[in-house]
């Protein structure tokens, strides 16, 4: 049997396809292979790699004999970011130690000068008692004071430097702890067994699926006049253990599944309960594992430049899924932070109107009704809504298919004034064999103070009885409602010119039997 030569391929990430709940990563590299059977390893792959998603292809005069997925154990994390942080930590630790040593030297010098002053004091005292000159004493004390002042100033300077170095060390340790939680020393490795007749350069492409990644949609909705601009963004997060550099990044709505299967229903049986029959434990059955190896048939040598024979891979995509490529590369580190990429800017026509429910509140809401006239099916997501240049709030956009209509709330507009007033209320007491009556009438005034004609939807309601001894009879509804439902909802569609006002009158009667105690009444 021919012994395989082991080589390591430098295959950086060149493409990432991000799905809603995972990602497919593609690596690519070139190397020159000697003649014979070779095993080429791609190292430093994430632990979460799904073995049965591995796919190998390439170009060159080689035959794929097989693919193995193995675990590589490292003494330290091979990640460049972790290695750099570890170097920074060692440098900060050395700096802190050097400053501590320098401070210890200054402390010893401080102690020495203090003891020198104490010892010299007795000598000078005896000299003065014997009548010696005091000039030497003054020079000595001045020199000692200068030296002590310099030493203590140096110690203060070293203390400040020690504090700064300790803070830098703590910051590096925090960053290292955060990154190390996501980057462990152990890594996966994929080995590709290849056969070549003569020395040749080949290109190998490796792709695999990893969990811990995904994307969601967010939107900026800007409404001006009768036009709506929808800016669609994809927000990408990932903590797969490997950083994605700026590369070919695509966002897909597909949900890949390794073992996709059309759902089927088994028969649903009902039967009499039978006590279980004791069964002797069975002997354990022998089993074999492929160990992540993908078998490939041996074959002849392909012509130079031909594609590799592909190893079977299982990455499923829905037939109706869409894939989006942002206009510029986006680097996404494995820090779990959100990274936003622009997907599209869509211009849509919109219809603006107002809606109010004075029975609840006299606030008037500006509403935009928009039809998705584009070709994109927009995933559900959060939208920041702007009316002209003003931010008016946030909204949750549902899944929005082409041709579908969506309503967006654009905030309150105080230029449409609404007042609702109870103008009449009567009540009668029940006598023997009679019923109790309550009659109310409301007046709702609507005024348009905008500079243009406003289409206003006004909502009101009649109570709905839930007992046969309670009846509700409408008395007044002027102007006639545009729509009335069986549940008492009344709708008026009004068009008010600039500066115009109108009034809606609504009255009704509620009759109850003498013994009925009414609940749910409000005025």
């Amino acid at each position: 049997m021919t012994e395989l030569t082991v080589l390591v391929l430098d295959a950086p990430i060149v493409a990432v396809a991000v799905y809603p709940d995972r990602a497919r990563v593609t690596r690519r590299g070139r190397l020159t292979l000697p003649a014979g059977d070779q095993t080429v390893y791609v190292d430093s792959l994430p632990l979460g790699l799904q073995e049965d998603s591995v796919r190998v292809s390439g170009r060159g005069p080689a035959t794929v004999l097989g693919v193995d997925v193995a675990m590589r154990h490292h003494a330290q994390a091979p990640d460049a970011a972790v290695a750099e942080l570890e170097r920074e930590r060692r440098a900060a630790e050395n700096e802190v130690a050097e400053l501590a040593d320098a401070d210890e030297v200054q402390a010893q010098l401080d102690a020495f000068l203090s003891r020198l002053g104490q010892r010299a004091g007795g000598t000078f005292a005896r000299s003065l008692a014997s009548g010696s000159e005091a000039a030497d004493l003054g020079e000595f004390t001045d020199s000692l004071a200068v030296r002590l002042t310099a030493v203590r100033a140096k110690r203060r300077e070293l203390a400040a430097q020690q504090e700064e170095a300790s803070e830098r060390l703590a910051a590096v340790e925090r960053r290292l702890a955060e990154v190390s939680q996501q980057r462990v020393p152990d890594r996966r490795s994929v080995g590709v067994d290849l056969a070549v007749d003569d020395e040749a350069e080949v290109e190998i492409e490796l792709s695999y699926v990893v969990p811990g990644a995904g994307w969601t949609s967010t939107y900026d909705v800007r409404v001006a006049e009768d036009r709506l601009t929808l800016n669609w963004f994809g927000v990408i997060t990932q903590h797969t253990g490997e950083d994605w550099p700026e590369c070919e990044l695509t966002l897909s709505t597909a949900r890949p599944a390794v073992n996709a299967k059309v759902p089927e229903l088994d028969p649903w049986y009902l039967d009499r309960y039978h006590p279980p029959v004791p069964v002797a434990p069975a002997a354990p059955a022998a089993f074999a594992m492929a160990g992540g190896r993908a078998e490939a048939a041996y074959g002849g040598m392909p012509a130079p430049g031909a594609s590799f024979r592909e190893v079977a891979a299982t990455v499923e995509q829905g037939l109706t899924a869409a894939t989006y490529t942002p206009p510029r590369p986006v680097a996404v580190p494995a820090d779990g932070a959100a990274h936003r990429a622009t997907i599209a800017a869509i211009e849509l026509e919109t219809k603006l109107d107002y809606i109010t429910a004075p029975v609840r509140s006299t606030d008037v809401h500006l509403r935009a009704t928009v039809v998705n006239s584009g070709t994109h099916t927009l995933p559900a997501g959060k939208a920041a809504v702007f009316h002209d240049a003003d931010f008016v709030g946030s909204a949750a956009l549902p899944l929005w298919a082409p041709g579908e209509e969506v309503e967006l709330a654009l905030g309150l507009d105080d230029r449409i004034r609404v007042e609702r007033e109870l103008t009449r209320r009567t009540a009668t007491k029940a006598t023997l064999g009679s019923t109790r009556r309550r009659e109310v009438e409301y007046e709702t005034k609507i005024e348009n103070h905008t500079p243009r004609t406003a289409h206003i939807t006004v909502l009101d309601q009649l109570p709905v009885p839930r007992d046969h001894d309670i009846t509700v009879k409408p008395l007044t509804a002027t102007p006639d409602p545009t729509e009335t439902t069986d549940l008492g909802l009344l709708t008026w569609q009004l068009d008010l010119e600039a500066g115009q006002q109108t009034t809606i009158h609504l009255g009704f009667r509620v009759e109850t039997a003498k013994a009925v105690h009414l609940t749910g009444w409000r005025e």
Side-chain angles (χ1 to χ4, degrees):
M1 180 176 179
T2 304
E3 183 178 353
L4 295 178
T5 302
V6 177
L7 301 171
V8 177
L9 173 66
D10 180 18
I13 295 174
V14 296
V16 179
V18 188
Y19 303 101
D21 59 351
R22 66 196 72 187
R24 186 182 70 242
V25 180
T26 301
R27 292 174 174 267
R28 188 181 302 129
R30 301 180 67 89
L31 81 167
T32 300
L33 296 179
D37 294 344
Q38 326 290 335
T39 297
V40 178
Y41 281 98
V42 180
D43 283 336
S44 300
L45 304 179
L47 288 177
L49 173 151
Q50 296 180 0
E51 292 186 12
D52 44 7
S53 72
V54 173
R55 178 171 181 162
V56 174
S57 62
R59 302 191 69 83
T63 300
V64 179
L65 304 179
V67 175
D68 287 316
V69 180
M71 180 76 75
R72 294 280 187 171
H73 300 281
H74 301 273
Q76 65 176 12
D79 186 275
V82 175
E84 178 62 27
L85 287 173
E86 288 176 344
R87 285 192 292 270
E88 290 183 19
R89 180 177 63 179
R90 288 192 294 270
E93 288 173 342
N94 290 336
E95 184 180 1
V96 170
E98 290 173 0
L99 291 170
D101 292 343
D103 182 67
E104 183 178 356
V105 171
Q106 295 297 320
Q108 292 177 357
L109 182 56
D110 189 345
F112 170 75
L113 292 174
S114 299
R115 290 194 299 270
L116 180 61
Q118 293 173 357
R119 292 178 180 177
T123 302
F124 279 110
R126 289 191 294 271
S127 299
L128 290 173
S130 62
S132 300
E133 294 293 334
D136 294 339
L137 175 61
E139 292 177 1
F140 175 77
T141 55
D142 289 344
S143 176
L144 184 62
V146 170
R147 294 296 302 275
L148 279 173
T149 300
V151 167
R152 290 174 182 176
K154 183 63 175 179
R155 293 197 66 187
R156 288 193 298 271
E157 180 183 348
L158 290 172
Q161 293 176 357
Q162 275 186 297
E163 184 176 359
E164 293 176 359
S166 298
E167 290 175 354
R168 287 195 297 274
L169 175 60
V172 171
E173 288 178 340
R174 287 195 301 270
R175 294 203 307 273
L176 185 59
E178 180 180 350
V179 172
S180 297
Q181 289 178 356
Q182 303 167 354
R183 294 171 169 85
V184 293
D186 297 337
R187 284 289 188 271
R188 290 292 187 92
S189 179
V190 170
V192 184
D193 297 339
L194 299 173
V196 294
D197 281 343
D198 300 306
E199 180 177 315
E201 184 180 56
V202 299
E203 180 181 77
I204 298 177
E205 183 173 288
L206 169 71
S207 67
Y208 50 88
V209 173
V210 287
W215 74 282
T216 57
S217 292
T218 62
Y219 304 90
D220 279 355
V221 177
R222 299 182 183 275
V223 179
E225 298 297 334
D226 58 349
R227 300 293 296 176
L228 180 144
T229 302
L230 184 73
N231 292 307
W232 179 15
F233 305 99
V235 177
I236 310 156
T237 57
Q238 67 106 341
H239 46 85
T240 63
E242 62 179 0
D243 294 335
W244 300 340
E246 290 187 356
C247 60
E248 180 185 343
L249 181 72
T250 58
L251 307 179
S252 176
T253 59
R255 294 184 178 273
V258 173
N259 295 313
K261 182 181 178 182
V262 175
E264 298 178 357
L265 294 180
D266 294 326
W268 181 7
Y269 296 110
L270 295 178
D271 197 359
R272 180 193 298 271
Y273 172 74
H274 297 282
V277 178
V279 179
F287 64 95
M289 295 184 63
R293 184 177 184 85
E295 300 295 338
Y298 289 83
M301 298 301 298
S307 297
F308 282 175
R309 297 175 184 176
E310 294 185 352
V311 177
T314 52
V315 180
E316 299 285 338
Q317 294 193 67
L319 294 177
T320 59
T323 299
Y324 304 96
T325 302
R328 64 177 180 82
V330 179
V332 184
D335 55 5
H339 301 269
R340 192 166 78 163
T342 300
I343 297 177
I346 307 170
E347 294 284 340
L348 302 172
E349 293 186 0
T350 183
K351 177 184 176 182
L352 297 179
D353 67 346
Y354 299 90
I355 184 168
T356 181
V359 68
R360 293 291 188 186
S361 169
T362 57
D363 291 336
V364 179
H365 298 262
L366 178 61
R367 176 177 62 180
T369 304
V370 193
V371 175
N372 183 359
S373 57
T375 59
H376 298 288
T377 295
L378 304 176
K382 186 177 180 181
V385 183
F386 298 84
H387 188 206
D388 292 329
D390 298 325
F391 173 72
V392 297
S394 299
L397 279 184
L399 180 67
W400 196 1
E404 189 175 3
E405 184 178 273
V406 167
E407 293 183 354
L408 296 176
L410 301 183
L412 305 179
D413 195 332
D414 295 331
R415 296 174 300 175
I416 306 292
R417 306 282 177 78
V418 176
E419 295 180 0
R420 189 173 191 266
E421 181 182 0
L422 177 64
T423 57
R424 186 172 66 88
R425 176 179 56 192
T426 62
T428 62
K429 294 182 179 180
T431 59
L432 185 61
S434 65
T435 59
R436 185 194 304 266
R437 291 183 178 179
R438 301 184 187 187
E439 292 185 2
V440 292
E441 185 171 335
Y442 298 92
E443 181 181 87
T444 302
K445 294 181 180 179
I446 304 102
E447 301 176 358
N448 178 14
H449 293 280
T450 69
R452 61 182 65 87
T453 300
H455 182 78
I456 306 169
T457 299
V458 182
L459 304 178
D460 213 319
Q461 61 185 163
L462 298 172
V464 179
R466 302 181 68 179
D467 189 281
H468 68 279
D469 285 330
I470 303 173
T471 59
V472 177
K473 297 181 179 180
L475 299 177
T476 305
T478 56
D480 293 334
T482 306
E483 182 182 1
T484 304
T485 69
D486 293 337
L487 294 179
L489 180 62
L490 307 177
T491 303
W492 286 266
Q493 301 287 349
L494 306 175
D495 288 303
L496 293 185
E497 301 288 340
Q500 185 182 0
Q501 71 174 32
T502 190
T503 303
I504 295 175
H505 296 276
L506 176 63
F508 57 88
R509 176 192 302 157
V510 177
E511 296 180 350
T512 60
K514 180 180 179 180
V516 173
H517 296 281
L518 193 64
T519 62
W521 177 260
R522 65 173 187 261
E523 294 181 356

